[in-house]
Amino acid sequence: MPQRPKLVLVGQLSSYPWVFEAAVRAGIDLILVPRGDDSAESAERAEAVVELLPLDIDENSEGALAALADRYRREPFDGIMAGNERVVPFVARAARELGLTGLTEQAAAVVRDKRSMRRRLLDAGLGVPGFAVVDVPDAWTDALSLRFPVVVKPANGHSSLGVIRVDDKDDLEQAVARTWKLIETHHLGAADVSAPETGVLVEEYLDGPEVSAESLVHQGRVRVCGISWKGQLVGPYFEETTLRAPAQLPAEILAAIEAEVIGAHHAFGVTEGTTHTELRLVGGVRPVLLEMGARIGGGGFMHHLVHLSSGIDLAAEALRIHIGREPLCWRAESAPVGHVAAYQVPVGDGGRVKQVCGLDSVRDDPRVDYVVQAVGPGALLRPYPDFSGYPVMVISRHTSDAEAEAYRAHLARTLYVEYEEQG
Ligand code: ADP
Ligand code: CA
C-alpha cells in the first residue's frame, strides 16, 4: 500500500478543528508545529496529527528552519502549510529550501505587510483608497493630506488590533500614538528576521459594507470559492462579530469582487494555497480590497462557510495544493448545501471573565455545527482597539439567509460574556 502523504502544519491552533478534520477527509497525516499558546495536550489529541514538532519560529527562526530540515532528512514529508498569519514568511522560506510547494518568499513578504499590498494594488491599477505610510511615530503629519475620515492601523497587524477610525484631523496624532503603542506591546513585526518591519498605515475610510472572499490558487490559477457577508462596520473600532455565507449580492457585484480578488493574487504574486481576502463595497457596489491573508481565514472557520455555501471542501483542497496536487474542484462540480452564519461573541467592555452566558442552549441547538470556546472564567479580556482573543465562536447552518440572520440576531441577544464586578 502506498504511504499516506504527510504535511507539516505550522501554528494551527488545535482547538480550531476545521483543518484537522479536513486532513482526515483528504487522507493526509499531519506533523503539527504547535502554536506557542497552544496546549500540548490539546495539540496531541487533534485529529490527523501523527507527530508534534515544536519549533521556536518567533524567537529563533534559523534554529527552527534547521530543525525542520533535520526532520525532513530523517524522513521526508510531502508538504508544509501555514496555520496562521505570522508564520507565512517562515513557511514560504522552508518550502523553498526543502523544494516543497509554497509561496515565493517575496509574495509572502508582500502579503504580510499592508503597505506593500497597497503599493502593489496601486501599481496594478486596482482599487486603492488614498493612503500614507507612517514609518516613525512623528511622521503622522504625512497623513494630514488624506481625505477624512481615515483609518489608522498597524502595517502588519491582525484581528483589527490597533485599528482606529479617525474623523477629525485634530485626533490623528493621538490615534497614531495609540496604534504604535499597541504594535509595541503585541510585538507586531517580531524578532524573526523574515518578519516585516513594523509601522503604521493610515488610509481613507472606505464607506460601505464588508465582504470576505476565500480562494484557492494552484500554479497561479485562482478560483474564488466563496463570498461571505460581514455587514456594516463603522468603527471607531472594528470588532468583527458576524459573517454569513453565501453573500446575497447581485451577480454583477459578485463578478466584480471576483475580478478584484483574482487581480490582487496576481499583483501580490500569490500562486499556491488558499487565501482570505477582505473587501469593502464602496457605496454598496464597488469592491476595494482591505487586505489578503495567504492562509485559511479565521483560523480555519472560513472553511466551513465555504464548504456549506458552495460545496467546495476548501481546507482539504488547500492541504492537497500544499502536497503538490491539483485541487479536486478544478475538475469536479460542487453543489451548495445551505446557508451559514458565524457569530463571534463580542468582547465589549472587557474585564475579568465571570462566565459566558447562554452557551447551553446554543450547544443543544440542532442548527449549530460548531461552538468553539476560547476563554473560560478568570480570563482577562481587553476591549478594542486592543485584542486578546475571541471568547466564543458559533457556526450554524440554515435554509435561507433570512434564517441565518435571524439566528445571528438571536445570539447577539442571548449569548454574551459576563464580567466580574470591577473591585
Ligand atoms: P486587520 O489585519 O487588523 O484585520 P484590516 O485592514 O483588515 O486589518 O482592518 C480591520 C478592519 O478595520 C476591517 O475589517 C475594516 O472593517 C476596518 N478597516 C480597515 N481599513 C479600512 C478602510 N480603509 N476603510 C474602512 N474600514 C477599514
Ligand atoms: Ca482583516
Side-chain angles (χ1 to χ4, degrees), residues 114 153 157-160 163 210 230 240 276-278 290-293 295 390:
K114 293 182 167 73
K153 59 172 111 171
H158 58 86
S159 317
S160 304
V163 181
E210 199 160 318
K230 295 176 74 176
E240 296 177 9
H276 170 69
T277 309
E278 293 166 338
L290 286 167
E291 62 160 343
M292 179 189 292
R295 34 93 196 154
Y390 298 111

Side-chain angles (χ1 to χ4, degrees), residues 68-141:
L68 191 66
D70 264 355
R71 171 63 189 77
Y72 186 81
R73 273 190 295 275
R74 270 206 318 281
E75 183 225 5
F77 37 83
D78 304 283
I80 184 164
M81 181 169 117
N84 72 64
E85 177 69 20
R86 282 171 78 93
V87 300
V88 166
F90 175 84
V91 168
R93 186 168 164 211
R96 178 181 56 78
E97 295 204 354
L98 301 175
L100 300 169
T101 301
L103 293 181
T104 63
E105 286 162 87
Q106 196 184 19
V110 168
V111 290
R112 276 296 288 130
D113 191 321
K114 293 182 167 73
R115 294 163 294 196
S116 46
M117 283 194 269
R118 284 292 179 232
R119 292 185 185 117
R120 290 286 184 109
L121 292 171
L122 197 60
D123 289 348
L126 294 165
V128 179
F131 67 96
V133 167
V134 179
D135 282 334
V136 289
D138 284 349
W140 66 274
T141 49

Side-chain angles (χ1 to χ4, degrees), residues 110-193:
V110 168
V111 290
R112 276 296 288 130
D113 191 321
K114 293 182 167 73
R115 294 163 294 196
S116 46
M117 283 194 269
R118 284 292 179 232
R119 292 185 185 117
R120 290 286 184 109
L121 292 171
L122 197 60
D123 289 348
L126 294 165
V128 179
F131 67 96
V133 167
V134 179
D135 282 334
V136 289
D138 284 349
W140 66 274
T141 49
D142 291 355
L144 284 172
S145 57
L146 296 174
R147 185 174 45 79
F148 278 60
V150 295
V151 175
V152 176
K153 59 172 111 171
N156 28 61
H158 58 86
S159 317
S160 304
L161 160 62
V163 181
I164 306 171
R165 169 173 160 161
V166 180
D167 290 333
D168 195 321
K169 291 189 176 178
D170 293 340
D171 298 329
L172 182 62
E173 180 177 14
Q174 206 195 353
V176 171
R178 202 167 171 202
T179 299
W180 268 105
K181 194 144 187 65
L182 287 166
I183 288 173
E184 282 162 12
T185 26
H186 288 269
H187 307 291
L188 299 177
D192 178 358
V193 283

